[in-house]
Amino acid sequence: LLSQAEHDKLASAVLVTDSGELAVAVQAELERQIPLLERAEIARASIDNNGKIIVADNLMQAIEKEAAKQGITQNILLEINIGGEESKSGFRADEIWEVLEDLHNFPHLRVRGLMAIPPVSREPGDNLKFFKEISQLSVDIQRKKYDNVAMECLSMGMSDDFTDAIRAGSTMIRVGTAIFGARNYAKPHQ
Protein backbone atom coordinates (compact mmCIF):
# COMPACT_ATOMS: atom_id res chain seq x y z
CA LEU A 1 0.00 0.00 0.00
CA LEU A 2 2.73 2.44 0.91
CA SER A 3 4.74 1.97 -2.26
CA GLN A 4 1.62 2.96 -4.20
CA ALA A 5 0.75 5.82 -1.85
CA GLU A 6 4.21 7.38 -2.09
CA HIS A 7 3.79 8.03 -5.84
CA ASP A 8 1.53 11.03 -5.48
CA LYS A 9 -1.22 12.47 -3.32
CA LEU A 10 -3.89 11.27 -5.75
CA ALA A 11 -2.67 7.65 -5.86
CA SER A 12 -5.17 5.02 -4.74
CA ALA A 13 -3.92 2.31 -2.41
CA VAL A 14 -6.51 -0.41 -1.78
CA LEU A 15 -6.41 -3.61 0.26
CA VAL A 16 -9.26 -6.12 -0.01
CA THR A 17 -9.26 -8.83 2.64
CA ASP A 18 -11.70 -11.25 4.20
CA SER A 19 -9.98 -10.81 7.59
CA GLY A 20 -11.04 -8.01 9.92
CA GLU A 21 -8.02 -8.83 12.07
CA LEU A 22 -5.67 -8.32 9.12
CA ALA A 23 -7.39 -5.03 8.23
CA VAL A 24 -6.79 -3.70 11.76
CA ALA A 25 -3.16 -4.88 11.74
CA VAL A 26 -2.47 -3.29 8.34
CA GLN A 27 -4.03 0.00 9.44
CA ALA A 28 -1.85 0.02 12.56
CA GLU A 29 1.25 -0.76 10.50
CA LEU A 30 0.42 2.05 8.05
CA GLU A 31 0.23 4.49 10.96
CA ARG A 32 3.56 3.23 12.27
CA GLN A 33 5.40 3.33 8.93
CA ILE A 34 4.09 6.49 7.24
CA PRO A 35 6.02 8.92 9.48
CA LEU A 36 9.24 7.02 8.68
CA LEU A 37 8.95 7.52 4.92
CA GLU A 38 11.02 10.04 3.00
CA ARG A 39 7.82 11.04 1.18
CA ALA A 40 5.61 10.80 4.28
CA GLU A 41 3.52 13.88 3.43
CA ILE A 42 2.59 12.48 0.01
CA ALA A 43 1.87 8.99 1.40
CA ARG A 44 -0.27 10.44 4.22
CA ALA A 45 -2.36 12.50 1.78
CA SER A 46 -2.81 9.50 -0.53
CA ILE A 47 -3.84 7.14 2.29
CA ASP A 48 -6.14 9.72 3.91
CA ASN A 49 -7.87 10.77 0.68
CA ASN A 50 -7.73 7.69 -1.54
CA GLY A 51 -6.69 4.76 0.64
CA LYS A 52 -9.12 2.00 1.40
CA ILE A 53 -9.09 -1.17 3.41
CA ILE A 54 -12.16 -3.18 2.48
CA VAL A 55 -13.26 -6.22 4.46
CA ALA A 56 -15.44 -8.51 2.37
CA ASP A 57 -16.03 -12.22 1.86
CA ASN A 58 -14.70 -11.99 -1.70
CA LEU A 59 -13.57 -9.52 -4.32
CA MET A 60 -17.00 -9.26 -5.99
CA GLN A 61 -18.55 -8.31 -2.66
CA ALA A 62 -15.80 -5.72 -2.11
CA ILE A 63 -16.41 -4.17 -5.53
CA GLU A 64 -20.15 -4.18 -4.89
CA LYS A 65 -19.69 -2.37 -1.56
CA GLU A 66 -17.46 0.30 -3.07
CA ALA A 67 -19.67 0.82 -6.15
CA ALA A 68 -22.78 1.13 -3.94
CA LYS A 69 -20.99 3.63 -1.73
CA GLN A 70 -20.10 5.72 -4.77
CA GLY A 71 -23.56 5.34 -6.33
CA ILE A 72 -22.29 3.75 -9.55
CA THR A 73 -22.58 0.54 -11.49
CA GLN A 74 -19.10 -0.92 -11.96
CA ASN A 75 -18.30 -2.74 -15.19
CA ILE A 76 -16.21 -5.87 -14.67
CA LEU A 77 -14.74 -8.76 -16.61
CA LEU A 78 -14.78 -12.22 -15.09
CA GLU A 79 -11.47 -14.06 -15.35
CA ILE A 80 -11.60 -17.68 -16.39
CA ASN A 81 -8.69 -19.96 -15.51
CA ILE A 82 -9.10 -21.83 -18.75
CA GLY A 83 -5.98 -23.97 -18.39
CA GLY A 84 -6.76 -25.00 -14.82
CA GLU A 85 -3.33 -23.78 -13.73
CA GLU A 86 -2.68 -23.45 -10.01
CA SER A 87 -0.39 -20.49 -10.66
CA LYS A 88 -3.25 -18.45 -12.17
CA SER A 89 -6.38 -17.07 -10.60
CA GLY A 90 -9.86 -16.93 -12.01
CA PHE A 91 -13.01 -19.00 -12.04
CA ARG A 92 -13.04 -22.48 -13.49
CA ALA A 93 -15.24 -22.65 -16.58
CA ASP A 94 -17.59 -25.09 -14.81
CA GLU A 95 -18.14 -22.79 -11.81
CA ILE A 96 -18.95 -19.62 -13.76
CA TRP A 97 -22.63 -20.52 -13.97
CA GLU A 98 -23.05 -20.37 -10.19
CA VAL A 99 -21.32 -16.97 -10.13
CA LEU A 100 -23.63 -15.65 -12.86
CA GLU A 101 -26.73 -16.99 -11.08
CA ASP A 102 -25.59 -15.16 -7.92
CA LEU A 103 -25.18 -11.79 -9.67
CA HIS A 104 -28.65 -10.66 -8.58
CA ASN A 105 -27.01 -10.13 -5.16
CA PHE A 106 -24.65 -7.57 -6.74
CA PRO A 107 -26.85 -4.84 -8.25
CA HIS A 108 -23.91 -2.44 -8.62
CA LEU A 109 -21.88 -4.82 -10.79
CA ARG A 110 -22.29 -5.32 -14.52
CA VAL A 111 -20.38 -8.11 -16.20
CA ARG A 112 -19.18 -6.84 -19.58
CA GLY A 113 -17.34 -9.98 -20.63
CA LEU A 114 -14.66 -12.52 -19.93
CA MET A 115 -10.91 -12.49 -19.77
CA ALA A 116 -8.48 -15.39 -19.82
CA ILE A 117 -4.79 -16.14 -19.98
CA PRO A 118 -4.16 -19.67 -21.25
CA PRO A 119 -1.06 -21.71 -20.42
CA VAL A 120 2.21 -20.56 -21.95
CA SER A 121 2.25 -21.93 -25.47
CA ARG A 122 5.21 -23.84 -26.86
CA GLU A 123 4.25 -23.53 -30.51
CA PRO A 124 2.10 -21.11 -32.51
CA GLY A 125 -1.48 -22.35 -32.47
CA ASP A 126 -1.17 -24.28 -29.19
CA ASN A 127 -3.59 -21.94 -27.41
CA LEU A 128 -6.21 -21.80 -30.14
CA LYS A 129 -8.21 -24.58 -28.41
CA PHE A 130 -8.31 -22.56 -25.16
CA PHE A 131 -9.33 -19.38 -26.99
CA LYS A 132 -12.11 -21.22 -28.81
CA GLU A 133 -13.34 -22.68 -25.51
CA ILE A 134 -13.53 -19.22 -23.89
CA SER A 135 -15.21 -17.79 -26.98
CA GLN A 136 -17.86 -20.53 -26.88
CA LEU A 137 -18.36 -19.97 -23.15
CA SER A 138 -18.99 -16.28 -23.90
CA VAL A 139 -21.61 -17.21 -26.51
CA ASP A 140 -23.27 -19.68 -24.12
CA ILE A 141 -23.43 -17.04 -21.36
CA GLN A 142 -24.93 -14.47 -23.72
CA ARG A 143 -27.67 -16.93 -24.73
CA LYS A 144 -28.80 -17.15 -21.09
CA LYS A 145 -29.71 -13.42 -21.10
CA TYR A 146 -28.77 -12.57 -17.51
CA ASP A 147 -30.04 -9.14 -16.45
CA ASN A 148 -26.69 -7.52 -15.63
CA VAL A 149 -24.47 -9.45 -18.06
CA ALA A 150 -23.45 -8.40 -21.56
CA MET A 151 -20.76 -10.38 -23.32
CA GLU A 152 -19.36 -7.32 -25.11
CA CYS A 153 -15.70 -7.89 -24.30
CA LEU A 154 -13.63 -11.01 -24.75
CA SER A 155 -10.15 -10.19 -23.46
CA MET A 156 -7.71 -12.88 -24.40
CA GLY A 157 -4.44 -13.03 -26.25
CA MET A 158 -1.09 -11.52 -25.49
CA SER A 159 2.03 -10.64 -27.45
CA ASP A 160 2.91 -14.24 -28.35
CA ASP A 161 -0.54 -15.56 -29.22
CA PHE A 162 -2.79 -12.61 -30.13
CA THR A 163 -3.31 -13.76 -33.74
CA ASP A 164 -4.90 -17.02 -32.54
CA ALA A 165 -6.95 -15.09 -29.97
CA ILE A 166 -8.28 -12.74 -32.65
CA ARG A 167 -9.07 -15.72 -34.88
CA ALA A 168 -11.11 -17.19 -32.00
CA GLY A 169 -13.07 -13.97 -31.41
CA SER A 170 -11.05 -11.84 -28.98
CA THR A 171 -12.22 -8.23 -28.82
CA MET A 172 -9.34 -7.05 -26.61
CA ILE A 173 -5.72 -8.16 -26.63
CA ARG A 174 -2.86 -7.29 -24.29
CA VAL A 175 0.43 -6.75 -26.11
CA GLY A 176 2.67 -4.93 -23.65
CA THR A 177 5.67 -7.20 -24.24
CA ALA A 178 5.49 -6.62 -27.99
CA ILE A 179 5.44 -2.85 -27.42
CA PHE A 180 7.72 -2.38 -24.40
CA GLY A 181 9.84 -5.53 -24.39
CA ALA A 182 10.07 -8.36 -21.90
CA ARG A 183 9.91 -7.55 -18.20
CA ASN A 184 13.17 -7.52 -16.30
CA TYR A 185 12.58 -9.50 -13.12
CA ALA A 186 16.20 -9.18 -11.97
CA LYS A 187 16.57 -7.23 -8.75
CA PRO A 188 18.60 -4.04 -9.07
CA HIS A 189 22.07 -4.09 -7.53
CA GLN A 190 22.34 -2.22 -4.25
Side-chain angles (χ1 to χ4, degrees), residues 52-95:
K52 292 186 184 358
I53 298 177
I54 301 169
V55 179
D57 291 337
N58 58 54
L59 184 56
M60 285 180 58
Q61 185 184 76
I63 297 168
E64 169 66 27
K65 283 183 176 181
E66 187 61 25
K69 189 167 119 183
Q70 293 188 30
I72 64 169
T73 298
Q74 181 62 54
N75 294 319
I76 64 170
L77 300 178
L78 297 177
E79 183 173 1
I80 307 296
N81 184 346
I82 195 62
E85 297 173 279
E86 289 184 25
S87 63
K88 292 183 180 159
S89 60
F91 299 105
R92 290 187 328 266
D94 64 342
E95 69 184 357

Side-chain angles (χ1 to χ4, degrees), residues 100-119:
L100 293 168
E101 291 293 335
D102 195 39
L103 275 173
H104 68 276
N105 292 315
F106 302 95
H108 295 91
L109 299 185
R110 182 161 188 249
V111 175
R112 299 296 295 264
L114 303 176
M115 63 176 287
I117 301 173

Side-chain angles (χ1 to χ4, degrees), residues 19-53:
S19 168
E21 186 176 302
L22 178 65
V24 169
V26 168
Q27 185 64 46
E29 192 61 22
L30 285 172
E31 296 308 317
R32 186 186 77 74
Q33 288 189 27
I34 287 175
L36 305 174
L37 297 172
E38 187 175 317
R39 299 171 52 110
E41 182 183 327
I42 293 170
R44 169 55 59 203
S46 173
I47 292 295
D48 288 350
N49 298 323
N50 301 304
K52 292 186 184 358
I53 298 177

Side-chain angles (χ1 to χ4, degrees), residues 9 12 50-51 69 104 114-115 126 147 152 156 163 170 178:
K9 294 177 182 181
S12 293
N50 301 304
K69 189 167 119 183
H104 68 276
L114 303 176
M115 63 176 287
D126 281 355
D147 285 340
E152 299 165 350
M156 57 185 189
T163 56
S170 179

